Amino acid sequence: MNKTSSVNSESQSSDKAMIEIIDVHKWFGDFHVLQGINLTVHKGERFVICGPSGSGKSTLIRCINRLEEHQRGRIIVDGIELTNNIKNIEKVRMEVGMVFQHFNLFPHLTIIENLTLGPIWVRKVPKAEAEENAMYYLEKVHIAEQAQKYPGQLSGGQQQRVAIARSLCMNPKVMLFDEPTSALDPEMIKEVLDVMIELAQEGMTMIVVSHEMGFAKSVAHRVLFMDYGKIVEGNSPEEFFENPQNERTKLFLSQILH
Amino acid sequence: MEETIQKTQTEKIKPPVVSIGIIGWVKANLFNGWFNSALTIVTLYLLWKTIPPLFRWAFIDSVWRTTGAACRDTGGACWSIVTENLRFILFGFFPYELQWRPLLAILILFALLFFSRDRKYWKKLLGYAWIAGLFIMGLLMKGGLFGLTPVESTQWGGLPLTLLLSVFGLTAAYPLGVVLALGRQSKMRAIKLICIVYIELIRGVPLISLLFMASIIFPLFLPEGLTINKILRAQVAIILFTAAYIAEVVRGGLQGMSLGQYEAAESLGLNYYLTMRLVILPQALKIVIPPTVSILISAFKDTSLVVIIALYDLLKTTQTVLSNPEWMGFSREVYLFVAILYFLGCFSMSNFSRKLEKELSRGD
Ligand SMILES: Nc1ncnc2c1ncn2[C@@H]1O[C@H](COP(=O)(O)OP(=O)(O)OP(=O)(O)O)[C@@H](O)[C@H]1O
Ligand SMILES: [Mg+2]
């Protein structure tokens, strides 16, 4: 794991808190999904969140760009607190990129149009500049030759890389990933993880919900374990995998590693 | 081994003879099995019995340019009823010597529709052309400017009236329907409620009763002296009616959209309006092109219901010709003619929708 050390050692984390989550609770009806989450992510830090199905991982990161609304506590992203203020929500969404399990590309637009939609309409970038920028990011995710195709003509791995590029085109300060590889065939997982590792090497602030432990070991500053709506354990990857403290973490790790 | 491999590579394998050519097609489609063979024979017999006499009636024994009296002596079709009354059927009571004006208006409309067919012409210029075209068409119909003799809208009739009601009816109903569909999905309770009540109320009454209300009941509520043009009232009734149906179809399309599309758009920072306009509606409206066109086609045909409030649309002018003693009894011919006109309208709409669907499905 040469890459591991290299990525982690050049840790670019500074003291500026990019995301602050303070005692956040959320309910779906009577169901208490998030039960007092506290989390601070600094600029340049990379967190990987794992945990059993239904533990609230997706809900947590979806709260960070207000795809879900939290009902108690505070969430502050890059100095902007998420409230019902629509303008603030839109500002936060401009700064936070999100990659979904099922890609969610826009099927009626070509790849390049998918990438330029946000910059042109939200950031008001001129079309030519947006396209140039889009090509830059498509090259970064190694898929520039597909620019004129439609999403339906691409493989899952390619689509997910396009989705990553689409988020990057908005020039976000944070990237959220919700199980980006779990809808992919095994042979495509690596191409997506490689892109994410490159992104990490450039110092992007990332929160990744994933069970790809190899990825967590190589790029994460911290690995969090969630269960029943709480962050049960959080540690550096070495400690987390070598020396888990909590019984439930141990059980979970034994299940996914064997 | 080697020999067989070479053979398959050099010789192209052709399909067995029975399945190709006309004979192959006939065998495979018309005479496969005794039941299909019997059906084919019965159908051929019926065609033999109907087509030649029909052809004879329409083209051989028919007369084209005679008086009504002369028509009665022939055994064939009396197309004279169409040719001799064409201008009345098409233009109704529009002053005879001014009928070049509605004709020109119709030609302008057709030209605009023709260019709007092709999406590569959908530029700003076409928009301006439509605005100018609508203005000129209105001027031609109404007159009163640039030395054109004014013509009261009560004298409008025939094809221009039918086209007016349908083109405006459909182009206004469509966006209104989309807005209603979005309103029905709105998170704002009041808007949602208004849209639901509107849609359900309108869908709960037949168009005829709406037209009656627009022409008879509605004026009762207007202050004395104020009248609103009858055509306009019928037009509004048609728009309101059609929009409610469009709204339901579009709502179906919206429900077919996955939540992920909304989330992806929102997480890019697109607001509600942009999300709808750029991501959701282009996909949702595309899904519902076929049912939408069904509604537009039936709305086009339903414009003929304005006869009941005494507007002289295409169908009414036709009936008027038939009530003339000279031409009484030749309804087959003249209705066939009007049917062909309606068919051309409906057929081009469905043709256009198929073309549009094909063009828009590149992404799938
Ligand atoms: N919109 C919703 N309405 C009601 N319940 C929901 C909703 N979304 C999620 N839940 C429930 O909340 C719980 C947490 O969901 P969440 O998607 O956050 O879990 P997760 O940890 O991401 O699980 P997975 O690994 O399966 O993705 C689940 O039990 C789920 O059924
Ligand atoms: Mg999840």
Side-chain angles (χ1 to χ4, degrees):
Chain A
M1 280 271 141
N2 246 341
K3 217 171 216 166
T4 320
S5 44
S6 73
V7 174
N8 280 342
S9 58
E10 51 148 327
S11 143
Q12 296 167 355
S13 58
S14 71
D15 278 350
K16 189 167 177 270
M18 187 59 92
I19 300 173
E20 274 181 280
I21 300 177
I22 304 161
D23 191 32
V24 160
H25 291 256
K26 174 165 183 65
W27 289 263
F28 283 122
D30 284 338
F31 178 55
H32 201 173
V33 215
L34 298 182
Q35 310 187 3
I37 302 284
N38 284 291
L39 184 65
T40 305
V41 182
H42 292 100
K43 190 166 181 299
E45 276 188 326
R46 296 179 288 277
F47 281 41
V48 168
I49 303 176
C50 60
S53 181
S55 55
K57 308 177 298 289
S58 299
T59 309
L60 174 60
I61 69 165
R62 287 157 59 86
C63 279
I64 297 173
N65 68 351
R66 242 311 139 128
L67 289 180
E68 302 284 358
E69 196 177 318
H70 59 283
Q71 285 137 337
R72 236 176 75 188
R74 304 174 66 193
I75 299 179
I76 300 157
V77 181
D78 196 27
I80 305 167
E81 173 151 13
L82 282 168
T83 58
N84 281 330
N85 184 333
I86 290 272
K87 284 277 159 270
N88 279 355
I89 294 174
E90 278 165 15
K91 262 189 238 160
V92 167
R93 284 177 177 164
M94 276 165 80
E95 305 303 339
V96 178
M98 177 116 183
V99 175
F100 302 87
Q101 184 176 0
H102 295 288
F103 333 134
N104 296 346
L105 294 177
F106 305 131
H108 62 301
L109 301 177
T110 59
I111 300 308
I112 188 103
E113 286 166 344
N114 265 274
L115 267 66
T116 53
L117 189 78
I120 290 177
W121 292 93
V122 180
R123 289 223 187 262
K124 313 277 188 230
V125 177
K127 188 164 179 249
E129 193 186 325
E131 280 177 353
E132 198 178 312
N133 203 29
M135 287 312 294
Y136 169 78
Y137 283 111
L138 279 180
E139 255 156 48
K140 239 177 130 123
V141 301
H142 319 296
I143 207 163
E145 69 284 359
Q146 316 278 11
Q148 300 306 331
K149 288 196 181 163
Y150 285 89
Q153 299 167 307
L154 268 54
S155 74
Q158 290 174 322
Q159 289 192 47
Q160 192 61 299
R161 284 184 280 147
V162 170
I164 294 173
R166 177 175 69 179
S167 288
L168 292 176
C169 279
M170 285 297 285
N171 207 3
K173 293 182 176 152
V174 186
M175 288 282 288
L176 308 175
F177 295 82
D178 190 1
E179 307 206 32
T181 55
S182 58
L184 296 177
D185 292 335
E187 73 270 20
M188 295 172 188
I189 291 179
K190 187 174 175 301
E191 66 189 47
V192 171
L193 289 181
D194 284 347
V195 166
M196 291 169 63
I197 290 171
E198 285 165 32
L199 198 58
Q201 282 166 337
E202 289 169 15
M204 176 62 79
T205 312
M206 296 161 74
I207 301 183
V208 183
V209 173
S210 176
H211 293 161
E212 293 293 332
M213 291 306 139
F215 172 79
K217 279 180 192 159
S218 67
V219 306
H221 293 111
R222 285 180 79 76
V223 182
L224 308 180
F225 176 71
M226 269 186 86
D227 201 10
Y228 294 111
K230 291 186 180 135
I231 296 177
V232 175
E233 183 166 354
N235 226 327
S236 68
E238 293 81 13
E239 279 295 300
F240 185 86
F241 292 111
E242 305 302 323
N243 192 13
Q245 304 295 315
N246 192 292
E247 284 309 314
R248 278 186 278 169
T249 318
K250 284 179 196 165
L251 183 66
F252 178 75
L253 285 178
S254 71
Q255 279 166 350
I256 63 164
L257 294 179
H258 302 295
Chain B
M1 266 309 263
E2 246 165 49
E3 260 170 75
T4 42
I5 290 170
Q6 277 207 331
K7 232 181 187 174
T8 49
Q9 278 174 342
T10 48
E11 267 181 49
K12 267 199 186 154
I13 299 180
K14 290 199 180 122
V17 180
V18 281
S19 68
I20 58 165
I22 296 174
I23 295 175
W25 184 88
V26 166
K27 262 193 179 168
N29 291 289
L30 299 180
F31 292 99
N32 55 335
W34 65 269
F35 181 69
N36 279 356
S37 304
L39 265 189
T40 304
I41 289 165
V42 169
T43 311
L44 283 177
Y45 176 76
L46 288 178
L47 287 178
W48 170 246
K49 274 296 187 194
T50 52
I51 296 295
L54 198 63
F55 185 81
R56 199 180 166 82
W57 174 79
F59 297 107
I60 297 174
D61 294 344
S62 58
V63 290
W64 292 83
R65 304 230 47 163
T66 55
T67 59
C71 264
R72 296 188 194 277
D73 300 330
T74 64
C78 171
W79 298 118
S80 312
I81 186 174
V82 176
T83 52
E84 296 299 306
N85 298 296
L86 189 60
R87 286 179 65 168
F88 183 78
I89 294 174
L90 291 184
F91 303 117
F93 293 109
F94 207 93
Y96 194 79
E97 63 288 358
L98 299 179
Q99 284 178 359
W100 61 272
R101 278 162 46 181
L103 179 65
L104 188 56
I106 289 175
L107 292 179
I108 293 175
L109 178 70
F110 283 165
L112 286 170
L113 288 175
F114 182 79
F115 282 108
S116 308
R117 246 184 121 245
D118 212 326
R119 287 195 336 133
K120 72 169 183 274
Y121 290 121
W122 289 10
K123 302 262 163 64
K124 270 220 178 89
L125 188 63
L126 188 62
Y128 294 138
W130 267 103
I131 293 171
L134 287 177
F135 176 75
I136 295 171
M137 284 188 270
L139 185 65
L140 284 169
M141 292 301 290
K142 226 171 152 44
L145 273 181
F146 305 121
L148 292 173
T149 325
V151 177
E152 280 301 311
S153 66
T154 45
Q155 289 175 289
W156 297 2
L159 191 58
L161 182 61
T162 295
L163 290 174
L164 177 84
L165 289 174
S166 26
V167 170
F168 277 101
L170 306 193
T171 44
Y174 188 72
L176 181 60
V178 172
V179 170
L180 283 168
L182 291 176
R184 192 167 183 167
Q185 303 246 303
S186 170
K187 289 198 188 93
M188 281 176 267
R189 284 274 178 78
I191 292 181
K192 185 175 176 144
L193 192 70
I194 292 171
C195 290
I196 291 179
V197 169
Y198 173 87
I199 292 169
E200 296 305 335
L201 269 186
I202 297 275
R203 293 203 314 159
V205 294
L207 178 56
I208 294 199
S209 58
L210 266 188
L211 286 170
F212 265 128
M213 279 197 265
S215 81
I216 297 164
I217 303 173
F218 178 65
L220 299 180
F221 295 102
L222 288 180
E224 193 118 10
L226 179 65
T227 56
I228 294 180
N229 185 317
K230 199 170 179 179
I231 295 178
L232 184 63
R233 278 181 271 145
Q235 179 83 81
V236 170
I238 289 171
I239 292 172
L240 295 182
F241 184 80
T242 310
Y245 284 84
I246 302 256
E248 281 304 275
V249 164
V250 171
R251 186 168 71 104
L254 289 172
Q255 282 173 342
M257 297 297 303
S258 80
L259 210 54
Q261 291 291 304
Y262 289 90
E263 293 180 347
E266 283 168 17
S267 62
L268 282 176
L270 296 173
N271 58 28
Y272 172 82
Y273 169 74
L274 287 177
T275 300
M276 286 300 162
R277 180 179 148 202
L278 301 171
V279 177
I280 304 300
L281 284 178
Q283 298 182 62
L285 295 182
K286 190 186 87 186
I287 305 173
V288 296
I289 288 177
T292 309
V293 172
S294 299
I295 289 175
L296 295 183
I297 285 177
S298 75
F300 172 58
K301 290 181 293 187
D302 283 350
T303 57
S304 58
L305 289 174
V306 296
V307 295
I308 60 140
I309 57 170
L311 287 179
Y312 275 76
D313 82 320
L314 189 56
L315 208 58
K316 183 66 181 170
T317 53
T318 306
Q319 284 173 348
T320 311
V321 168
L322 280 170
S323 61
N324 177 344
E326 188 188 350
W327 298 107
M328 221 175 260
F330 298 108
S331 51
R332 261 183 307 191
E333 290 85 345
V334 72
Y335 278 134
L336 207 57
F337 171 69
V338 181
I340 289 172
L341 291 187
Y342 273 103
F343 175 78
L344 287 178
C346 296
F347 186 67
S348 20
M349 277 195 261
S350 73
N351 237 352
F352 172 68
S353 84
R354 243 173 299 146
K355 179 167 134 33
L356 196 63
E357 227 179 320
K358 218 167 159 188
E359 281 178 13
L360 295 179
S361 64
R362 286 165 310 170
D364 307 330

